[in-house]
Amino acid sequence: LRSLNHCLSPPLHSHSFPTPTPSLPFLTEVIDNTLNPDFVRKYILDYFFEEKQNLRFDLYDVDSKSPDLSKHDFLGQTFCTLGEIVGSPASRLEKPLGGIPGKKCGTIVLSAEELSNCRDSATMQFCANKLDKKDFFGKSDPFMVFYRSNEDGTFTICHKTEVVKNTLNPVWQPFTIPVRALCNGDYDRTIKVEVYDWDRDGSHDFIGDFTTSYRELARGQSQFNVYEVRIMINSRGCTKTVSYVLELTSLFLITHNDLDIDCSTGNPSQSTSLHYMNPYQLNAYAMALKAVGEIIQDYDSDKMFPALGFGAKLPPDGRVSHEFPLNGNMENPYCNGIEGILEAYHQSLKTVQLYGPTNFAPVVNHVARYAAAVQDGSQYFVLLIITDGVISDMAQTKEAIVNGAKLPMSIIIVGVGQAEFDAMVELDGDDIRISSRGKLAERDIVQFVPFRDYMDRTGNHVLSMARLAKDVLAEIPDQFISYMKSRGIKPNPAPPPYTPPGHTHHHTQI
């Protein structure tokens, strides 16, 4: 990113910037004279939920047209992953800027939204009549700012018109904007429009605003697209309402009917996917499940296991879920034994669309609800999570684990693939006990192992299943006992030895 200065400065008065070097693939526009820029230019990125997509944002104060960044003032930088942005509440991530020792560099707000398949564009033109005279000398210099509403009720800037100088009856130039930039293809989504009087120092005067929708705009020039802009003005101690008329004079819709196919690396039919369904051997997920499950199932009386998936769009409406039953049965997610789980897993890969972000907290909380209902020592719950290691809700997951440490439960995490597993090591808590909101977990309930450590060096997925199972299950007995001791729960008396009918039991001392 380049730095910027004024978030409301219209493009007509923005500086041009030299062509970016290969190391800087994306540049924003420059905004004049502000410490709180709101950038209009958006960038389309391919999002692969199974990959850790690292991003770096550098901000500069532009002093010249030089392509050499050292000629400009560095304002700060921050690092994150695309998954962090997508997985944040309302896909809006706020991070502090750093990079300058001993100096607070401010905050950057990053937001993301999945684009719809709408490829339409709209060309529209507006005019206004009798706008408020804001300048002491001369008339106003008005420009318009368009905002798209977000799912959480906030607004994101999506277009600014040029400034029309010295007039109270502006006619702005026609402009073309993708419909998905204006409303993400949702014709009924609110569009907010603000009108300002441009000032050279960046302190633009607010003239008024109105709201509409693309469905309304699509009616074109008509009575439906004549907007009354109202503003409250305090003059000599009295408050009065002033109204102005702003009108859509034309709108042309350009429709694109080209085929859009989205194929990500998460597609199970592709060999690059960790979920690839090879007809000749199990994938890493299935191998890890089989290795651990076949041992731990011996400690379950009925061999019925609830099996959940997280991070997928579900049929028929494409709803994104982070705790869906692999067998598709919301009322009864239980599968019969490990073979039943594997069957449900393979079937789900054919019916759901793998999709990010990757959130752990919902499944941790799901098991915690079961555990919270049975705290008398009669049951103990073990959650096995098999993951590629990319996590989008780290803070929420840490909080869920800290809360779960009070309950009769343990968590096993097996990391598959070649990603860095730093986040999983942190959740493991062997070196530093996990904490959330300043509160330490009562017990260490998480055990993490990377699946790749149990493959041979040729990478052909030959697995020492016994060794994997032994390592991930090694801590479970101590975790089980630590919970029972912390609650003062003692083992039940041993049942009397079984004596066949007609026989007398003899004690043998050894």
Side-chain angles (χ1 to χ4, degrees):
L1 287 178
R2 298 177 286 168
S3 106
L4 296 111
N5 303 339
H6 201 20
C7 63
L8 293 177
S9 174
L12 184 67
H13 296 272
S14 295
H15 299 296
S16 61
F17 197 80
T19 302
T21 62
S23 61
L24 291 174
F26 299 125
L27 297 177
T28 69
E29 75 278 11
V30 176
I31 304 178
D32 293 332
N33 303 325
T34 185
L35 299 179
N36 302 290
D38 192 359
F39 301 106
V40 175
R41 189 174 299 166
K42 308 297 187 295
Y43 297 99
I44 297 176
L45 301 176
D46 292 324
Y47 171 51
F48 303 107
F49 78 93
E50 290 193 346
E51 294 182 8
K52 187 174 184 179
Q53 295 173 270
N54 294 310
L55 301 175
R56 188 183 91 190
F57 297 87
D58 292 350
L59 273 78
Y60 289 87
D61 178 35
V62 173
D63 296 320
S64 68
K65 293 185 179 181
S66 171
D68 185 358
L69 288 178
S70 66
K71 303 295 184 183
H72 307 285
D73 295 326
F74 177 67
L75 299 180
Q77 68 180 188
T78 194
F79 300 85
C80 68
T81 65
L82 184 55
E84 279 185 85
I85 303 174
V86 174
S88 297
S91 295
R92 183 180 185 274
L93 177 65
E94 189 169 327
K95 297 204 71 172
L97 291 166
I100 304 178
K103 182 178 180 181
K104 292 184 177 180
C105 301
T107 302
I108 187 170
V109 179
L110 308 165
S111 59
E113 183 173 12
E114 180 191 6
L115 293 177
S116 71
N117 288 329
C118 177
R119 296 296 186 89
D120 298 345
S121 297
T123 299
M124 60 185 80
Q125 183 177 26
F126 284 85
C127 69
N129 295 311
K130 300 180 180 179
L131 292 178
D132 190 30
K133 182 178 180 294
K134 294 290 185 181
D135 295 339
F136 188 77
F137 297 104
K139 300 176 182 179
S140 294
D141 304 318
F143 67 96
M144 302 171 67
V145 184
F146 290 75
Y147 297 87
R148 178 184 70 244
S149 63
N150 302 316
E151 293 181 358
D152 63 345
T154 60
F155 288 87
T156 299
I157 187 171
C158 58
H159 181 73
K160 284 189 285 190
T161 69
E162 80 283 5
V163 172
V164 181
K165 301 288 285 186
N166 197 29
T167 181
L168 301 181
N169 302 291
V171 178
W172 287 281
Q173 291 294 320
F175 65 90
T176 300
I177 184 171
V179 171
R180 65 185 185 184
L182 197 60
C183 62
N184 203 19
D186 180 357
Y187 284 16
D188 295 310
R189 182 181 293 202
T190 299
I191 299 168
K192 182 172 72 171
V193 183
E194 296 178 341
V195 184
Y196 289 87
D197 171 43
W198 178 82
D199 287 329
R200 187 176 300 276
D201 64 0
S203 59
H204 308 309
D205 298 316
F206 179 67
I207 294 178
D209 64 3
F210 66 90
T211 59
T212 183
S213 67
Y214 184 74
R215 192 175 300 280
E216 290 295 320
L217 292 174
R219 296 186 179 192
Q221 185 177 16
S222 68
Q223 62 184 19
F224 300 105
N225 282 313
V226 177
Y227 301 96
E228 187 176 35
V229 179
R230 295 186 175 186
I231 186 172
M232 302 293 290
I233 297 179
N234 192 310
S235 177
R236 297 179 182 179
C238 298
T239 301
K240 62 178 181 178
T241 302
V242 180
S243 299
Y244 317 104
V245 175
L246 195 145
E247 180 180 359
L248 174 71
T249 58
S250 65
L251 184 141
F252 301 98
L253 178 64
I254 306 170
T255 302
H256 298 271
N257 295 316
D258 50 322
L259 182 64
D260 181 33
I261 302 175
D262 179 18
C263 298
S264 74
T265 56
N267 190 333
S269 64
Q270 296 180 351
S271 60
T272 54
S273 171
L274 293 172
H275 291 282
Y276 177 54
M277 293 186 289
N278 189 324
Y280 303 106
Q281 68 178 27
L282 298 175
N283 64 28
Y285 283 85
M287 293 172 75
L289 173 63
K290 190 175 179 67
V292 178
E294 286 188 342
I295 291 179
I296 204 168
Q297 72 173 348
D298 291 342
Y299 301 93
D300 187 275
S301 57
D302 62 5
K303 305 294 187 292
M304 297 296 293
F305 303 101
L308 304 174
F310 53 96
K313 285 185 173 181
L314 308 186
D317 56 359
R319 175 177 59 88
V320 178
S321 175
H322 299 289
E323 51 172 321
F324 63 91
L326 292 184
N327 64 5
N329 189 336
M330 292 291 188
E331 301 300 324
N332 183 14
Y334 287 82
C335 301
N336 188 4
I338 300 306
E339 292 304 320
I341 297 177
L342 287 171
E343 182 181 349
Y345 164 60
H346 290 132
Q347 189 60 36
S348 70
L349 291 177
K350 301 174 183 177
T351 57
V352 305
Q353 177 188 348
L354 303 180
Y355 193 79
T358 303
N359 294 343
F360 283 19
V363 292
V364 175
N365 289 328
H366 180 100
V367 175
R369 288 193 293 271
Y370 281 92
V374 189
Q375 299 188 52
D376 60 359
S378 62
Q379 295 187 46
Y380 194 85
F381 298 81
V382 178
L383 168 63
L384 170 62
I385 297 177
I386 306 174
T387 176
D388 62 4
V390 177
I391 181 171
S392 305
D393 64 340
M394 187 66 171
Q396 294 90 333
T397 298
K398 290 169 73 172
E399 183 175 10
I401 291 172
V402 168
N403 293 334
K406 306 172 186 176
L407 302 171
M409 63 180 289
S410 291
I411 301 171
I412 297 169
I413 303 175
V414 178
V416 299
Q418 300 304 314
E420 294 297 325
F421 291 117
D422 294 349
M424 300 300 102
V425 172
E426 183 178 351
L427 293 179
D428 189 304
D430 282 345
D431 298 325
I432 301 176
R433 179 69 61 87
I434 193 171
S435 65
S436 175
R437 302 178 187 269
K439 183 168 59 177
L440 285 173
E442 285 186 12
R443 303 181 296 126
D444 175 15
I445 64 169
V446 179
Q447 170 72 346
F448 165 74
V449 296
F451 181 86
R452 59 178 175 237
D453 289 357
Y454 299 86
M455 298 186 298
D456 70 5
R457 294 180 180 178
T458 63
N460 65 359
H461 295 80
V462 175
L463 173 69
S464 172
M465 292 191 179
R467 190 162 59 93
L468 171 66
K470 178 182 177 181
D471 287 353
V472 298
L473 296 173
E475 295 184 7
I476 296 296
D478 286 342
Q479 292 172 1
F480 171 81
I481 292 173
S482 71
Y483 173 79
M484 299 302 174
K485 284 185 175 181
S486 69
R487 297 299 183 270
I489 300 172
K490 297 181 179 180
N492 292 326
Y498 173 71
T499 302
H503 290 75
T504 302
H505 182 77
H506 296 282
H507 292 281
T508 301
Q509 183 174 349
I510 299 178

